[in-house]
Every structure is written in C-alpha cells, then in structure tokens.
Amino acid sequence: MIAPSLLSADFGNLRDEFQWLNRSTADWIHLDVMDGVFVPNISFGFPVISHVKRLTEKPLDVHLMIVQPEKFIREVSELGAHVMTVHHEACIHLHRTVHEIQRYGMLAGVALNPSTPVAVLQDIIGDLDLVLLMSVNPGFGGQKFIPHTLQKVTQLRTLIAESGSHALIEVDGGVNMDTGRLLRQAGADVLVAGNAIFASDNPEEMCRRLGAL
Ligand code: DX5
Ligand code: ZN
C-alpha cells in the first residue's frame, strides 16, 4: 500500500491536490499531527483534518507526533480516521491506549522512533493493527532515509510471524523509489511518502509507481 503524506502538499491549494489524490492509486492519506513538544515542529491539527475529510473518501491515516495522544482518541475518531497511530515513546499506558483506539472503531498503530528497538513491542504486538517504523527522526518532511530501518523491518517481520500478529508494517520518512524498493523486499506493507510524491513533476504517476513496488 501507499500513503501519500499531506505534510508535503500545497496547503493553499488542498482542493487541487485532492483532485489528483482522489483519482490516484493512493490507499490512505497520511496526516502528520505535531505539537512542538514531542517533535521540534508544529504542523496542523483537528480543524484542518476535518476540512481534509470533506475533500476525500480515502481512508485517513493519522500519525500523532504529540505527547499524551490518549487525550485525543475521541476527537480523532470523530474525524472519521481509519488508523490512529501513537508513538511508543509518548505513551506510558500503551496497552490501555491501543485498546481504547480500537474501542472507538479505529485501527491502532504504534510508531517507533529510529532509536527505539523493535523488541519493545514484544508484549504488545499481538494487540496491534499496525506498526509504524520511523525511518527519519520525526518532525519534518524531506529528510534522508536511515538505512538501519531495513534491519528493523526484517526484525519486525520475524516478531509478527512468531507472535501470530496481524499487524501491518508501515514505514515513514525518506521513502523514494530506491528506498521503497528495499523496504518492500524487507517486508514493509505500507509506504508513506511525502516529498518523493509531492515534489515530483507528476505526483499521481509517482504515487502509482511507489504503490506498485
Ligand atoms: C515526518 C513525518 C512524515 C513525513 C515524511 O516526521 O512523519 O510522514 O511527511 O515525509 P518524507 O516522505 O518527505 O520524508
Ligand atoms: Zn508520518
């Protein structure tokens, strides 16, 4: 699957961006919420996402890069999100948060920063619908892919197989045709791509090519 990250879109022309996104092969629309505390940047919040929701029928993949994301489960579900992903590093009671997300009818995702080992998921993997491996330090689009992520995808694939988990593996940051190909080979299910898609001459075609890897 391919999930274009709206962070790299032209926010002055969202209606135009969704003209091509809606007819594209994009499986999900990836939305990065930042609070300036968990990450050194601030992006957009719920009012913007509710506008986005009105522009598309594509499932929304909401990635919260915020502290205490458990405070906003109801708000995110009311936006009609398909996936709600919280950071492992931001949740003290991760098990409770994951089950709360599912109780509100969303898929529950857990994101890991580049320095957080896959092994921290050992006792929760069976409860998860998705694991998001950050392949850059979260906070900004257009950064360089961290190659060690490929090993983490392989480790996570093994952990998922051994535990019988149904979790999808999503990778976010620095994904392009080269890194995307390697990630698919390693076993990634969902690729998030911002810059590679929105900065390309033909975003719709790039979206199709990344999704077909
Ligand atoms: C980074 C965000 C990403 C970002 C990816 O903190 O979580 O979703 O938009 O952008 P690219 O693909 O440009 O690295
Ligand atoms: Zn993201």
Side-chain angles (χ1 to χ4, degrees):
M1 287 193 270
I2 179 75
S5 172
L6 213 63
L7 193 62
S8 300
D10 179 353
F11 273 83
N13 290 303
L14 271 190
R15 205 172 285 277
D16 293 350
E17 297 282 33
F18 274 99
Q19 285 220 332
W20 73 260
L21 277 166
N22 285 340
R23 63 169 187 251
S24 76
T25 58
D27 294 284
W28 296 344
I29 304 298
H30 186 84
L31 296 161
D32 291 303
V33 178
M34 305 180 190
D35 65 353
V37 179
F38 183 71
V39 288
N41 196 10
I42 297 176
S43 55
F44 47 77
F46 304 136
V48 172
I49 298 180
S50 71
H51 280 286
V52 167
K53 180 69 192 165
R54 276 179 247 144
L55 294 173
T56 188
E57 309 241 301
K58 300 263 187 196
L60 302 185
D61 174 30
V62 178
H63 175 195
L64 297 178
M65 282 162 276
I66 65 172
V67 297
Q68 301 183 322
E70 66 278 0
K71 283 184 180 171
F72 301 103
I73 297 172
R74 188 172 52 80
E75 279 83 350
V76 175
S77 81
E78 284 171 1
L79 292 169
H82 180 58
V83 185
M84 173 169 167
T85 295
V86 298
H87 268 262
H88 181 275
E89 302 86 0
C91 291
I92 297 172
H93 300 290
L94 186 62
H95 182 274
R96 178 187 293 146
T97 302
V98 162
H99 285 276
E100 186 87 347
I101 292 171
Q102 291 163 338
R103 202 162 62 75
Y104 273 87
M106 297 178 285
L107 299 185
V110 170
L112 300 183
N113 280 338
S115 65
T116 305
V118 164
V120 298
L121 298 176
Q122 181 107 39
D123 293 322
I124 189 88
I125 190 72
D127 300 78
L128 303 183
D129 301 304
L130 177 145
V131 177
L132 173 54
L133 295 177
M134 287 306 308
S135 39
V136 298
N137 284 294
F140 303 91
Q143 301 182 79
K144 198 171 169 298
F145 181 81
I146 298 172
H148 178 68
T149 313
L150 293 167
Q151 270 163 262
K152 291 175 78 173
V153 174
T154 307
Q155 290 165 4
L156 182 54
R157 202 71 276 164
T158 305
L159 181 63
I160 287 171
E162 283 172 1
S163 63
S165 162
H166 64 267
L168 293 168
I169 301 178
E170 184 175 33
V171 184
D172 185 7
V175 172
N176 55 35
M177 284 301 285
D178 297 330
T179 57
R181 190 171 290 114
L182 297 171
L183 287 165
R184 288 273 191 235
Q185 284 164 3
D189 300 299
V190 188
L191 300 179
V192 175
N195 209 56
I197 290 178
F198 288 92
S200 100
D201 292 339
N202 186 342
E204 190 178 346
E205 172 63 6
M206 183 52 75
C207 179
R208 190 197 62 73
R209 289 175 63 201
L210 285 166
L213 280 174

